[in-house]
Amino acid sequence: MDDGLLRRLRAEQARALLDDADPHHAVMLACDLLVAGVDGDAVVALAAESARTLPAHDASRRLAAVIAELGLPEPALPTAVALVAADTCERILDGSIPAEVGTHRLYVVGYEGSRLDDLLPAVAALARHLEDDLGGRADDDLRTRLAALARTILNRLARDPA
């Protein structure tokens, strides 16, 4: 399995640890694992699911079976937070998730033990602005500020990866 696929797998594993796996990402990940030659029973079962109709709880359960099948250890909570925060920031910057979703997903920085918890006030301020001032619809200014925060988080994680 290549490093990019392993990183995606670890990020989704971390997301499931903190909340629930994203059904679409989990199913697509399983499909990509199959293409890469990782074809265990749990991988096949997850890849066979519908990315649109699989409930998040079931995606987490199926992903846990894939993780167990591959023998990956569970990440420590601070590591899980860093993985989810980095994945969320990358998705914000590449536009694969809307700013409205990304803003709320960045609340992950506030988890206990997070080395990014000092950024929680900035996340909360963006979320308040989004909901209270913009009625839940991001404008260009919010997108710009969110992208800057995402770059700050990624730079911090790159500088202090442990």
Side-chain angles (χ1 to χ4, degrees), residues 92-113:
I92 288 167
L93 293 172
D94 73 13
S96 63
I97 59 173
E100 296 85 356
V101 172
T103 300
H104 292 292
R105 283 190 184 171
L106 282 182
Y107 269 112
V108 70
V109 302
Y111 270 81
E112 185 176 332

Side-chain angles (χ1 to χ4, degrees), residues 12-43:
E12 205 55 44
Q13 177 191 26
R15 191 178 327 284
L17 176 67
L18 299 175
D19 188 19
D20 273 322
D22 179 293
H24 178 77
H25 294 147
V27 171
M28 294 301 109
L29 178 60
C31 292
D32 290 344
L33 286 167
L34 286 175
V35 169
V38 181
D39 61 353
D41 292 342
V43 175

Side-chain angles (χ1 to χ4, degrees), residues 63-117:
L63 183 66
V66 169
I67 299 296
E69 189 171 77
L70 297 176
L72 293 176
E74 186 173 280
L77 187 58
T79 301
V81 169
L83 288 167
V84 172
D87 183 68
T88 300
C89 289
E90 289 165 2
R91 291 175 190 277
I92 288 167
L93 293 172
D94 73 13
S96 63
I97 59 173
E100 296 85 356
V101 172
T103 300
H104 292 292
R105 283 190 184 171
L106 282 182
Y107 269 112
V108 70
V109 302
Y111 270 81
E112 185 176 332
S114 168
R115 55 200 158 108
L116 301 166
D117 64 350

